[in-house]
């Protein structure tokens, strides 16, 4: 084992963990959904639906965290101008005038989902609070997956 020369005890612990995982996999071969799905999948499906509802506005703020969705939504204040409006290259620090501005967004990112509320369910739609107001791929990708799942397996 890789760590045997550095720590025989740690190496043995890793080896035992691998054996345990292998034995579990050997014992429960097949699809996760086939063995645990009837109990686990409904929970995740229901919980996922709850999360989607919260993102789309069924929350204490009655506000959608998807830009452009519903009557009250975040404006995603971290957008730069579109290439139609500003075809020139924007350097790395060239976003500063947009970030520091109190003007409305030069480019509304319709459909983007932002980080969302604080733990106490409040939300300050502020450029300076980029952790909550910035749309990112790691926030948007899971939602796209969930919506695709609901679309594929909808009962209506």
């Amino acid at each position: 084992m890789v760590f045997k020369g550095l720590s025989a005890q740690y190496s043995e612990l890793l080896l035992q963990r691998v054996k345990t995982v292998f034995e579990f996999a050997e014992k429960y071969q097949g699809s996760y959904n086939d063995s645990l799905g009837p109990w686990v999948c409904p929970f995740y499906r229901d919980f996922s639906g709850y999360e989607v509802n919260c993102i789309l506005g069924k929350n204490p703020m009655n506000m959608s965290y998807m830009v452009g969705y519903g009557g009250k939504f975040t404006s995603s204040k971290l957008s730069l101008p579109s290439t139609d409006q500003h075809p020139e290259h924007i350097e790395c620090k060239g976003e500063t005038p947009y970030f520091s501005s109190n003007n409305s967004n030069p480019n509304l990112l319709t459909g983007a989902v932002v980080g969302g509320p604080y733990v106490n369910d409040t939300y300050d739609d502020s450029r300076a609070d980029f952790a909550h107001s910035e749309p990112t791929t790691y926030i948007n990708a899971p939602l796209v997956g969930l919506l695709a799942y609901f679309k594929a397996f909808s009962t209506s």
Side-chain angles (χ1 to χ4, degrees):
M1 299 294 304
V2 175
F3 296 102
K4 195 168 189 174
L6 299 172
S7 172
Q9 183 180 4
Y10 184 61
S11 179
E12 182 61 30
L13 175 69
L14 291 177
L15 183 59
Q16 291 308 315
R17 181 59 53 137
V18 168
K19 286 180 182 178
T20 302
V21 170
F22 179 78
E23 288 167 2
F24 177 84
E26 185 69 24
K27 183 176 179 181
Y28 298 102
Q29 289 183 24
S31 168
Y32 172 81
N33 193 42
D34 291 342
S35 57
L36 298 175
W39 298 278
V40 176
C41 289
F43 167 78
Y44 284 121
R45 187 172 41 250
D46 291 346
F47 183 72
S48 299
Y50 168 77
E51 290 295 312
V52 170
N53 287 338
C54 284
I55 290 169
L56 297 179
K58 192 174 182 181
N59 56 55
M61 297 281 296
N62 291 316
M63 176 176 155
S64 172
Y65 298 109
M66 178 182 280
V67 179
Y69 184 86
K72 180 181 175 188
F73 54 86
T74 178
S75 64
S76 177
K77 295 187 184 267
L78 287 174
S79 64
L80 295 172
S82 70
T83 54
D84 289 345
Q85 298 169 352
H86 191 286
E88 300 83 23
H89 178 73
I90 297 176
E91 295 293 327
C92 184
K93 293 293 180 179
E95 84 282 351
T96 304
Y98 302 101
F99 183 77
S100 303
S101 172
N102 288 325
N103 295 334
S104 61
N105 284 327
N107 183 25
L108 196 63
L109 301 174
T110 304
V113 176
V114 298
Y118 295 102
V119 232
N120 64 356
D121 283 325
T122 60
Y123 179 78
D124 181 24
D125 200 1
S126 162
R127 284 183 176 97
D129 187 13
F130 57 86
H132 294 97
S133 63
E134 182 177 29
T136 62
T137 53
Y138 66 84
I139 292 170
N140 283 266
L143 179 65
V144 170
L146 279 173
L147 295 175
Y149 171 84
F150 290 137
K151 172 68 176 157
F153 297 101
S154 67
T155 55
S156 54

